Amino acid sequence: MNREFTIFTGTANPALARTIASKLGAQVGACVVDRYPDGNVAVQLLETVRRKEVFLMQSTSPPVSDHLVELLALADACRRAGCARVTSVVPYFGHGRADKRNGRREPIMARVVADLMEIVGISHVITVDLHTPQIEGFFHAPVDSLTAVPTLCQALRDRLPANVVVVSPDVGRVGMATRYAQCLGAPAVVLHKRRVSGVETQVTHVVGEVSDRSCLIVDDMISTGGTMAESITALLNAGARPEIIVAVTHGLFVRDARKKLSHPAVREVLVTDTVCVPERDWPQLHVITIAPLIASAMEKLMSDGSLGELY
Ligand code: R5P
């Protein structure tokens, strides 16, 4: 590494920031990230950043708007304090599902977030498993879009039953499921999902053979758990063994997601720590750290190395 750098974190996942910093032989920089009595975000850097490379760690996980504003405030403070470059490390990119208008007079919030980040001086973004790759194109700034698939595959190798098929819960995740399938040497199956509302989905077809097979369902995120619950039912109805493993990058677990995933057929649920998982006492849940992947991306960025192999 040949540049002086500082890492600051918002309140979304300070534990991940500390792990990443320690992998880079550093500590998280001192700063205040708080609230004024009226709820406005209060940020102050407690150390100099002049001419330094700055990394701002913040997943825009729930509460999404609060975490986003903290990130914007930190970036503005760094830019005004004369840092050399601000890179935001956003392991989970909130608003990622709002990536098109769907013809219903809706905003494209992923694009709005990209614009806001650039306006406050963020000139580079590192993120993990974006909901859709086109979000990268919403930025003028370079975006290093990493994937947690190899990290999760490594954790899955010793846990998978024989005869497993990788299941994509919808057509949007076929690319990701194919990567898992290649990495694990297993066949892939696709479910045809119809979204009824923000919390309700319906699986209409199982495309591929799951009869008497164990299933590994993969996805970018679990939000309310509705997609997973529907997928589990559809697979069991199609004759899959009651031996289901779930692997997703971002475990948001909002509303009663845990209840939906606590199905007797679900053996294990693997997520990464892109989002701070508040769930406790859930023996099936395993949180696999993404810190080595992000730390090595930051290292390569600072040494001007290629990040190609991390994508
Ligand atoms: C959808 O396109 C995503 O890849 C996930 O399947 C979905 O967002 C998960 O949401 P939920 O857990 O609320 O069904």
Side-chain angles (χ1 to χ4, degrees), residues 269-291:
V269 177
L270 273 73
V271 297
T272 74
D273 54 359
T274 54
V275 173
C276 179
V277 179
E279 294 290 351
R280 296 280 174 272
D281 307 322
W282 185 2
Q284 284 79 18
L285 181 71
H286 305 281
V287 181
I288 312 298
T289 187
I290 202 77

Side-chain angles (χ1 to χ4, degrees), residues 39-52:
N40 289 3
V41 165
V43 159
Q44 190 190 0
L45 309 179
L46 301 177
E47 54 186 71
T48 180
V49 293
R50 198 160 293 278
R51 287 188 289 281
K52 283 188 180 172

Side-chain angles (χ1 to χ4, degrees), residues 1 9 17 30 32 38 44-45 48 53 90 95 129 136 147 151 171 180 189-191 216 228 251 256 260 266 270 300:
M1 258 180 273
T9 181
V32 175
D38 62 359
Q44 190 190 0
L45 309 179
T48 180
E53 173 103 38
V90 188
H95 287 296
D129 286 331
E136 184 178 333
T147 178
T151 304
V171 287
Y180 273 98
V189 162
V190 184
L191 305 185
L216 166 67
M228 282 298 161
D256 56 351
K260 287 186 177 149
V266 175
L270 273 73
K300 283 178 192 295

Side-chain angles (χ1 to χ4, degrees), residues 168-179 188-191:
S168 170
D170 53 40
V171 287
R173 227 38 60 194
V174 170
M176 178 180 252
T178 305
R179 288 190 81 162
V189 162
V190 184
L191 305 185

